[in-house]
């Protein structure tokens, strides 16, 4: 598979993803101020067109079988933040992912990448919240995956995409 160099997304869908993250920050049932999802569409050579997104609602990270391992990784690579380390981070629930895969198969859509939100209180310190954190980069290293960071900041609301958390991929918004 060719490495994607450009992502096309309609303004309406772009704003839906941002609004979903903004709502999760304000009204999150889990009270963890996190938002995650899957972005799908059509891939044609080095260009991907976003057709749909699937917000994820069940955080498998809270499952005791993987919580300790993930907490250890967060302690090693995560930045200090407001939320307790045991409640930070996200692991996609396998059953919820299977539901997304089934929907994609029915709609003939391809996985483009995963998105998650960074906001002003995601962590303390000067590290740029508009780009993947050290932990984000570690989790997708050598995966071939694109990571979408949705910034919900006082000064900016935006989506950026990075190949394996490092190389930025251009997002082109369309009317």
């Amino acid at each position: 598979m060719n490495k994607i160099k450009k992502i096309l997304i309609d303004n309406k869908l772009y704003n839906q993803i941002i609004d979903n993250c903004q709502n999760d920050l304000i009204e999150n049932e889990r009270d963890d101020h996190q938002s995650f999802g899957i972005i799908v569409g059509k891939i044609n050579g080095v260009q991907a067109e976003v057709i749909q997104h699937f917000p994820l609602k069940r955080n498998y990270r809270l499952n005791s079988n993987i919580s300790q391992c993930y907490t250890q990784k967060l302690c090693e690579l995560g930045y200090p933040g407001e939320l307790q380390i045991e409640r930070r981070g996200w692991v996609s629930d396998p059953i919820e992912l299977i539901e997304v895969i089934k929907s994609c198969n029915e709609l003939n859509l391809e996985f483009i990448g995963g998105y998650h939100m960074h906001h002003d209180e995601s962590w303390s310190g000067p590290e740029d919240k508009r780009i993947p954190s050290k932990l984000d980069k570690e989790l997708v290293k050598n995966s071939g995956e694109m990571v979408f960071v949705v910034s919900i900041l006082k000064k900016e609301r935006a989506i950026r995409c990075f190949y394996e958390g490092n190389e930025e991929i251009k997002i082109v918004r369309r009317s």
Side-chain angles (χ1 to χ4, degrees):
M1 182 167 102
N2 294 328
K3 191 161 99 175
I4 303 299
K5 297 194 183 311
K6 182 166 55 171
I7 308 282
L8 304 175
I9 185 169
D10 290 336
N11 276 326
K12 182 178 178 181
L13 187 54
Y14 183 95
N15 289 325
Q16 282 176 358
I17 294 168
I18 287 178
D19 290 345
N20 177 71
C21 291
Q22 178 76 44
N23 290 338
D24 279 348
L25 179 60
I26 295 168
E27 304 169 359
N28 193 312
E29 294 172 2
R30 296 177 312 272
D31 195 34
D32 61 5
H33 306 292
Q34 299 184 80
S35 190
F36 296 82
I38 303 295
I39 291 178
V40 300
K42 300 285 185 182
I43 298 174
N44 185 6
V46 295
Q47 181 172 288
E49 180 181 5
V50 178
I51 305 291
Q52 191 168 348
H53 76 104
F54 292 91
L56 299 177
K57 298 299 178 188
R58 297 190 299 262
N59 189 352
Y60 199 65
R61 185 257 193 275
L62 304 176
N63 179 303
S64 61
N65 293 331
I66 60 166
S67 185
Q68 185 178 6
C69 176
Y70 198 86
T71 297
Q72 186 177 12
K73 191 58 92 173
L74 265 170
C75 288
E76 179 185 329
L77 297 169
Y79 302 122
E82 298 284 321
L83 194 60
Q84 296 173 339
I85 201 91
E86 294 81 14
R87 299 195 55 226
R88 290 174 59 197
W90 187 275
V91 176
S92 300
D93 181 286
I95 293 171
E96 194 171 25
L97 279 179
I98 289 170
E99 293 166 2
V100 170
I101 291 167
K102 284 180 183 176
S103 294
C104 288
N105 288 339
E106 290 169 6
L107 298 168
N108 198 28
L109 297 175
E110 301 170 80
F111 173 80
I112 296 175
Y115 71 85
H116 67 282
M117 169 179 60
H118 289 173
H119 54 84
D120 288 305
E121 287 78 38
S122 289
W123 60 79
S124 55
E127 292 80 8
D128 192 346
K129 294 178 178 77
R130 299 171 304 146
I131 63 174
S133 67
K134 287 187 300 187
L135 178 64
D136 296 337
K137 291 177 183 180
E138 179 65 24
L139 293 174
V140 295
K141 184 169 60 177
N142 301 319
S143 68
E145 186 176 333
M146 288 180 281
V147 176
F148 292 80
V149 174
V150 182
S151 305
I152 306 294
L153 308 171
K154 288 181 184 100
K155 62 181 178 186
E156 174 184 36
R157 291 173 15 133
I159 303 172
R160 293 172 72 181
C161 181
F162 300 85
Y163 178 76
E164 293 185 350
N166 291 303
E167 180 183 337
E168 187 162 10
I169 299 167
K170 181 179 177 128
I171 295 179
V172 178
R173 295 171 60 180
R174 303 183 302 184
S175 312

